[in-house]
Amino acid sequence: MGFRAFTQAHAKKLGLKGWVRNLSTGDVELEAEGSEAALKALEEKVKTGPEGSRVDKIERKAASSEALGEFEIRKSD
């Protein structure tokens, strides 16, 4: 399973809204909205990612004011 699909699957299980996408730099960006407990649980999952992935760093920032819908995989930037 790829990193974006892994993230989407776990976000949906946790009842989160938002999105995930690849960046041209090779990084992955995601925005999620939900309870603090669910956000922390997703953060713990993405720290390791699916088998074969490598996570060097996670940066947590305040979300944009964009209204978020069902958690989706977006096209790369």
Side-chain angles (χ1 to χ4, degrees), residues 11-12 14-19 30-40 42 60-71:
K12 285 184 169 188
L14 293 165
L16 295 171
K17 295 180 179 181
W19 52 266
L30 72 91
E31 187 164 333
E33 176 180 83
S35 72
E36 186 61 28
L39 292 170
K40 284 184 179 184
L42 180 63
R60 193 169 187 190
K61 300 177 183 178
S64 71
S65 60
E66 174 186 359
L68 301 176
E70 182 176 336
F71 205 94

Side-chain angles (χ1 to χ4, degrees), residues 12-34:
K12 285 184 169 188
K13 285 179 190 174
L14 293 165
L16 295 171
K17 295 180 179 181
W19 52 266
V20 60
R21 69 178 177 181
N22 287 337
L23 300 177
S24 57
T25 60
D27 293 339
V28 176
E29 178 180 39
L30 72 91
E31 187 164 333
E33 176 180 83

